[in-house]
Amino acid sequence: MSFREKLNLDKLPKHVAIIMDGNGRWAKEKGKMRVFGHKNGVLAVRDAVEGAAEVGIENLTLYAFSTENWNRPKLEVTALMELLVSTINKETKTLMDNNVRLNAIGDLRSLPTRCYKELQEAMAKTASNTRLTLTLALSYSSRWEILNATKLIAADTASGKINAEDINEKLFESYLSTHNLPDPELMVRTSGEHRISNYLLWQLAYAELYFTPKLWPDFRREDLFEAIYNYQQRERRFGLTSEQLT
Ligand code: IPE
Ligand code: IPE
Ligand code: MG
């Protein structure tokens, strides 16, 4: 029986976040350049998005480029940005066909102009799609996001728009770039690394973490279903005792 068939569709996470890792190692295993891995990673993105839409996941967030990734060799950064432009361009039709809305979080202004424009166009085009919200974390890091929120809150406090006493979790969240998304219940990282790498630190506070040794270009929807099935077998206690939950 496939994991797809084993899924309990009444107990799906509303938001799955993924760290797509291992493109470089995948390419190296094949004696190719790292960029070859990134190109093949796009196929995995398409399959994961379609798979998520197929079973009824409402929000999928993919870590595509971190703030720290800017420090990679220039050749790789340039290739990644070009791949981003061409992928967004090519995949907009797939997004439309699957009723997927494209969203992005991160320091988008730091992206090359062409990337930024392509992204804005695709987001505008898909804005009224309702089946799945696909969020790309681009030039994103969680510490950047939290600091950014803090600065905005400080400015609004100074100008009298908000009172310091009113700062609570709900208000803080409204200043994060994920303000219109529920917190992810499940976070998946590929490539066997067991770390968060500056991803959604606030939002993942109570997420279930799932790690797979598969390298991202080999990841397919059935792997996503396996992760969701694994998530569905867990007991989420949120600080309570097991007895309190029943
Ligand atoms: C993930 O794969 C993609 C990005 C970070 C852009 P990597 O490029 O990190 O591949 P590895 O981890 O070096 O194998
Ligand atoms: C995290 O992967 C960022 C993305 C997947 C975009 P990295 O490969 O950059 O993370 P580290 O360096 O292994 O922590
Ligand atoms: Mg990596």
Side-chain angles (χ1 to χ4, degrees):
M1 201 167 156
S2 68
F3 285 105
R4 167 73 178 86
E5 291 165 301
K6 286 206 262 186
L7 284 185
N8 176 354
L9 298 180
D10 297 323
K11 231 184 112 185
L12 287 174
K14 285 200 163 30
H15 186 177
V16 178
I18 304 183
I19 301 180
M20 312 185 287
D21 197 18
N23 294 353
R25 277 164 282 168
W26 186 89
K28 196 172 176 190
E29 272 180 3
K30 295 178 165 48
K32 306 268 193 188
M33 303 277 283
R34 294 179 58 82
V35 178
F36 182 69
H38 297 315
K39 285 192 177 140
N40 281 275
V42 176
L43 303 175
V45 171
R46 187 190 298 150
D47 208 61
V49 172
E50 285 183 348
E54 175 194 320
V55 293
I57 300 290
E58 289 168 19
N59 298 283
L60 180 70
T61 298
L62 304 177
Y63 205 0
F65 195 84
S66 75
T67 307
E68 290 77 18
N69 289 150
W70 287 115
N71 299 320
R72 289 193 177 188
K74 193 162 179 281
L75 194 75
E76 181 169 347
V77 173
T78 310
L80 274 168
M81 291 301 144
E82 261 158 37
L83 188 62
L84 188 66
V85 176
S86 63
T87 304
I88 293 171
N89 201 304
K90 265 193 262 163
E91 299 294 322
T92 310
K93 191 181 174 303
T94 317
L95 298 179
M96 293 308 291
D97 290 347
N98 287 284
N99 194 9
V100 176
R101 181 173 80 90
L102 185 67
N103 178 40
I105 55 172
D107 186 8
L108 306 181
R109 287 283 177 190
S110 68
L111 296 171
T113 318
R114 229 156 58 85
C115 279
Y116 181 80
K117 275 197 183 150
E118 204 70 53
L119 192 61
Q120 295 297 336
E121 269 175 37
M123 288 198 290
K125 204 166 176 188
T126 61
S128 48
N129 291 347
T130 52
R131 192 172 178 200
L132 166 77
T133 296
L134 169 66
T135 302
L136 297 181
L138 285 169
S139 190
Y140 173 89
S141 81
S142 198
R143 287 186 175 179
W144 168 84
E145 178 184 40
I146 290 169
L147 280 177
N148 198 46
T150 309
K151 282 184 203 164
L152 295 171
I153 292 171
D156 282 352
T157 311
S159 72
K161 196 173 163 201
I162 54 172
N163 297 316
E165 311 81 77
D166 297 335
I167 301 172
N168 54 24
E169 285 192 16
K170 199 162 164 269
L171 181 126
F172 193 84
E173 279 168 358
S174 73
Y175 282 82
L176 294 174
S177 52
T178 51
H179 57 87
N180 44 14
L181 298 169
D183 283 344
E185 296 96 325
L186 170 64
M187 196 286 285
V188 175
R189 181 169 189 152
T190 59
S191 90
E193 305 299 352
H194 296 159
R195 54 177 173 261
I196 305 277
S197 301
N198 219 345
Y199 192 40
L200 303 170
L201 301 179
W202 172 284
Q203 297 87 339
L204 293 178
Y206 261 107
E208 296 298 325
L209 308 182
Y210 178 88
F211 299 99
T212 165
K214 269 222 174 150
L215 303 174
W216 179 253
D218 289 330
F219 194 86
R220 288 297 175 270
R221 69 186 78 186
E222 182 64 5
D223 299 303
L224 175 65
F225 301 153
E226 180 173 5
I228 298 170
Y229 177 75
N230 182 293
Y231 156 86
Q232 290 183 335
Q233 310 314 306
R234 301 186 191 186
E235 180 178 68
R236 305 186 72 208
R237 289 194 286 278
F238 300 97
L240 303 181
T241 67
S242 200
E243 292 68 29
Q244 280 178 298
L245 295 171
T246 50

